[in-house]
Amino acid sequence: MGGRVALPLVQIAVGAALGYTGVLSVRLEPELFFLLFLPPLLFLDGWRVPQQDLKDNAVTILSLAFGLVLITVLGIGLMVHLMVPAMPLAVCFALAAVLSPTDIVAATSMITDMPMPRRVLRILEGEALFNDASGLVCLRVAVAVAMTGVFDVWSTAAHLLWAAVGGVVIGLALSRLISLAKLWVATQLGEDTSSQIVISLLTPYAAYLLADALGGSAVLAAVAAGMMMSRIEVSGKLLAVTRIRRSAVWETLQFTLNGAIFLLLGEQLPGILSRAELGAAESGHRGLEWLALYVLAITVALAAMRFCWVWVSVIIWRWRHGMLSGWDALPNWRLVATMSTAGVRGAVTLAGALSLPLALPDGMPFPSRDLVILIAAGVILVSLVVANASLRPLLRGIEVPPEPRLDTQERSARVEAAKAAIAALAQVKDGAKGRAGLPDAEELAAIALVADYYQHRLSQLQPAEPTRAGAEPVHREEHLHVLAVRAERAAIASMVRGHRISNDLAHKLLRETDLAEAAFQTASEA
């Protein structure tokens, strides 16, 4: 397992092979790339991110997403200017800005079967939600300075403030309005599952385009829209079938878009490498070894800055929580190194570099554009390769704090939900007994059967300690349910092969068994 190559690297290699052979040739338009790929992926991340974890780690996440980005832009920008004096300072800052966003999808795909502390993972996910926005805003400012030669501190500060606040407010408000409109239409006309799914797919694009048109951060608008949608839809007012189908659509879309991003990134590499000589010449050194040196130096500097920032952030967090006493309380260097190495660069970095203008307002070529693109592409590849080689060894054997299978909050929620179900069934039973004449025996039997099921769930949830040599009966029961459901599925398959039932009926029954198995497996893993 130690030599496993992560899926993003495989996808990049496939894309590069397709681009090199000419089978696939795509002229990547950065603005179109951002519009097609970023809104749905950011919206989905905002929708699914655990908001309580986000609140608990807000200081650390915001310091990484905004503080570290700003320090990276300044530090790496000045470093590049010292290494390559021929590159204007504003362009150096633009390069640093495109290198500041991280790609958590690529990082986590490399360690899918390795343990990672929950807090570390949530911080990385939260950081990736926001640093695209901060990095792209810094890029916009740097490009504006490079184009005009003017830097107005107060105007820039006001622009950054509006971009952040305006983007969040627009995303939250638009998502709220769309949700209210969907609920009203569903109430008046009935809920149409397909329409609900299409609206959920279009919402991030609406938030992104509206924020962009009003000068706010389109990236933050898409994230905020997803977070608002998550808060609204926990009310459970949608039909169950709508939620199930929508989840399947979004899962497929996420996998497709992420795969397409890395394929496109790989497809662009042959064209970028063909300009390597020209890019190296822009640095003042014609040898390609200088270009490789720049890439390695910048990659090391990015990792070192990130390591130091995370180390200090962890110490401050422990000091604030009264956990800093003695050498044993210092951060685990392997976890800090993991967070540093997991900050890989991805397609947003490449698209940002490609979005640099071709020419200045006076018609002269934009300075060092090819060199910026080459360095960005090199840093992406090196960071991915380093992460693929080092993340698994860093995490192997690391002590991960045990998390309870069913913590107090979850157990209480399940108990309360089961009691609410039993109370509702009791009301139905009382209503049946109160009707004129004798109640329907079949109806009472059905109520009793369902009530027994919930009573059994309660009996499994309420004991604090597992029984019989530490075994957990609820999980044994769920495994038996899964076994029974699979037997049902085998019987259905046998009947359809024997032409005893139609294909349509078989699809319907198999769908029911699939949903039942998924529910029981989720419960057994809780």
Side-chain angles (χ1 to χ4, degrees), residues 44 46 73 100 147-148 150 244 262 279 301 318 325 392 489 496:
L44 185 60
V73 171
S100 56
M147 296 288 280
T148 63
V150 177
I244 292 169
F262 289 109
R318 291 192 171 192
S325 58
R392 296 173 67 80
R489 186 182 297 116
V496 77

Side-chain angles (χ1 to χ4, degrees), residues 182-407:
K182 284 196 305 180
L183 181 61
W184 182 84
V185 171
T187 303
Q188 300 298 316
L189 305 176
E191 183 176 317
D192 180 72
T193 297
S194 299
S195 299
Q196 293 281 344
I197 294 173
V198 170
I199 292 172
S200 76
L201 293 173
L202 294 179
T203 298
Y205 291 104
Y208 187 94
L209 290 171
L210 181 61
D212 189 58
L214 296 178
S217 169
V219 170
L220 286 179
V223 172
M227 296 179 72
M228 173 58 74
M229 193 68 71
S230 174
R231 291 186 65 86
I232 292 171
E233 297 209 351
V234 293
S235 62
K237 293 180 180 179
L238 286 178
L239 294 176
V241 67
T242 299
R243 289 194 295 272
I244 292 169
R245 291 178 181 175
R246 184 185 60 194
S247 178
V249 169
W250 275 101
E251 289 282 356
T252 304
L253 181 66
Q254 181 185 36
F255 179 82
T256 303
L257 291 181
N258 281 322
I261 283 174
F262 289 109
L263 283 173
L264 285 174
L265 194 159
E267 189 276 333
Q268 299 296 306
L269 289 181
I272 292 172
L273 294 176
S274 67
R275 300 193 296 271
E277 291 284 354
L278 180 60
E282 289 180 344
S283 70
H285 301 95
R286 292 195 173 274
L288 293 181
E289 63 274 8
W290 285 97
L291 187 60
L293 181 62
Y294 298 150
V295 169
L296 291 175
I298 292 172
T299 304
V300 170
L302 286 168
M305 291 179 67
R306 187 174 175 84
F307 185 95
C308 294
W309 187 276
V310 172
W311 183 277
V312 173
S313 297
V314 173
I315 290 179
I316 293 174
W317 183 87
R318 291 192 171 192
W319 174 74
R320 288 176 59 237
H321 290 79
M323 299 169 59
L324 197 63
S325 58
W327 289 103
D328 292 340
L330 291 178
N332 184 323
W333 74 268
R334 289 171 63 187
L335 285 180
V336 176
T338 297
M339 292 189 68
S340 176
T341 307
V344 299
R345 273 62 189 176
V348 172
T349 290
L350 182 62
L354 291 170
S355 70
L356 294 178
L358 293 173
L360 297 172
D362 59 5
M364 294 293 290
F366 191 88
S368 304
R369 184 177 187 272
D370 285 333
L371 181 58
V372 168
I373 295 172
L374 281 165
I375 291 177
V379 171
I380 291 170
L381 289 177
V382 173
S383 67
L384 286 170
V385 171
V386 169
N388 187 74
S390 62
L391 277 177
R392 296 173 67 80
L394 282 171
L395 288 171
R396 186 175 293 115
I398 200 165
E399 292 185 7
V400 179
E403 296 188 18
R405 294 177 63 86
L406 196 61
D407 61 22

